[in-house]
């Protein structure tokens, strides 16, 4: 539902949004997305103050590698998966920063039911297409045929 046409500017937008928020259903969801690299939020502005006053607010930030590492470690421990530090670091390097993908890959590790080492990670955890493309290009540029064939077969 577009409650504010793009062509409208200024206080009229805020007034219409205020009116909408006061009469909206309890199950309505209003999502604002902001590219932090390009824009910032004016926390002193009318719109921000209105949203803070009238709505439940949830700020979602990008997942950092440290947060991802912590989440993976917690999941591994909760499932009782035995993994050495070297294999854990290799696992983190092999996975994209994506919790949904990790939850799928985690199931494979949980089913393995033996201590996990680097070879098991290499065989059980799917590399992303981007990783494969980069690794293949790198091997070709270095004229490393053996590595290029490994990546191709991976």
């Amino acid at each position: 539902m577009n409650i504010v046409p793009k062509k409208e500017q200024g206080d009229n937008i805020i007034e219409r949004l205020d009116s909408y928020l006061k009469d909206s259903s309890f199950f309505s969801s209003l999502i604002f997305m902001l590219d932090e690299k390009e824009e910032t939020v004016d926390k002193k502005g009318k719109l921000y103050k209105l949203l803070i006053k009238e709505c439940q607010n949830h700020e979602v930030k990008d997942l950092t590698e440290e947060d991802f590492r912590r989440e993976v470690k917690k999941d591994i421990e909760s499932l009782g998966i035995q993994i050495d530090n070297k294999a854990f670091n290799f696992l983190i390097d092999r996975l994209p920063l994506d919790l949904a993908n990790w939850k799928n890959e985690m199931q494979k590790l949980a089913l393995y039911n033996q201590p996990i080492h680097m070879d098991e990670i290499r065989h059980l955890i799917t590399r992303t297409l981007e990783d494969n493309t980069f690794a293949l290009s790198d091997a070709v540029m270095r004229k490393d045929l053996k590595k290029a064939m490994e990546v191709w077969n991976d």
Side-chain angles (χ1 to χ4, degrees):
M1 174 177 182
N2 185 3
I3 61 167
V4 183
K6 288 182 181 181
K7 62 184 177 185
E8 294 189 21
Q9 299 292 320
D11 289 338
N12 189 28
I13 292 172
I14 296 171
E15 289 169 14
R16 290 189 63 186
L17 187 56
D18 184 29
S19 173
Y20 171 77
L21 292 174
K22 288 180 178 166
D23 292 331
S24 66
S25 302
F26 72 93
F27 56 83
S28 293
S29 295
L30 184 63
I31 300 172
F32 287 92
M33 295 178 61
L34 178 72
D35 183 354
E36 291 181 17
K37 296 173 189 160
E38 296 178 14
E39 303 176 34
T40 59
V41 175
D42 178 9
K43 293 186 177 185
K44 295 179 182 179
K46 290 179 184 180
L47 179 59
Y48 183 81
K49 290 178 182 178
L50 171 66
L51 293 173
I52 293 298
K53 177 183 160 199
E54 298 290 337
C55 304
Q56 286 184 351
N57 298 281
H58 302 281
E59 184 175 346
V60 179
K61 295 188 177 197
D62 289 337
L63 183 66
T64 66
E65 186 172 342
E66 183 180 321
D67 293 336
F68 181 70
R69 178 180 283 273
R70 195 176 311 116
E71 187 69 25
V72 170
K73 187 77 161 174
K74 183 183 78 167
D75 288 342
I76 285 173
E77 289 171 357
S78 72
L79 290 171
I81 297 171
Q82 297 175 10
I83 185 168
D84 61 57
N85 285 338
K86 192 173 182 180
F88 178 77
N89 290 330
F90 184 62
L91 172 66
I92 295 296
D93 288 341
R94 197 165 175 99
L95 292 168
L97 286 178
D98 178 356
L99 288 175
N101 180 67
W102 160 241
K103 297 298 181 186
N104 288 332
E105 299 293 347
M106 176 180 71
Q107 298 305 315
K108 294 181 210 172
L109 296 180
L111 292 172
Y112 191 68
N113 207 19
Q114 293 180 20
I116 306 289
H117 303 288
M118 286 182 55
D119 279 344
E120 286 80 17
I121 299 295
R122 195 172 286 116
H123 290 101
L124 294 173
I125 303 301
T126 308
R127 290 185 70 120
T128 64
L129 181 59
E130 293 83 14
D131 285 344
N132 278 346
T133 302
F134 177 75
L136 183 59
S137 298
D138 188 46
V140 168
M141 294 298 287
R142 287 185 289 122
K143 298 181 180 173
D144 185 347
L145 182 60
K146 182 180 176 188
K147 181 67 177 176
M149 292 307 294
E150 274 180 32
V151 172
W152 179 261
N153 291 322
D154 192 19

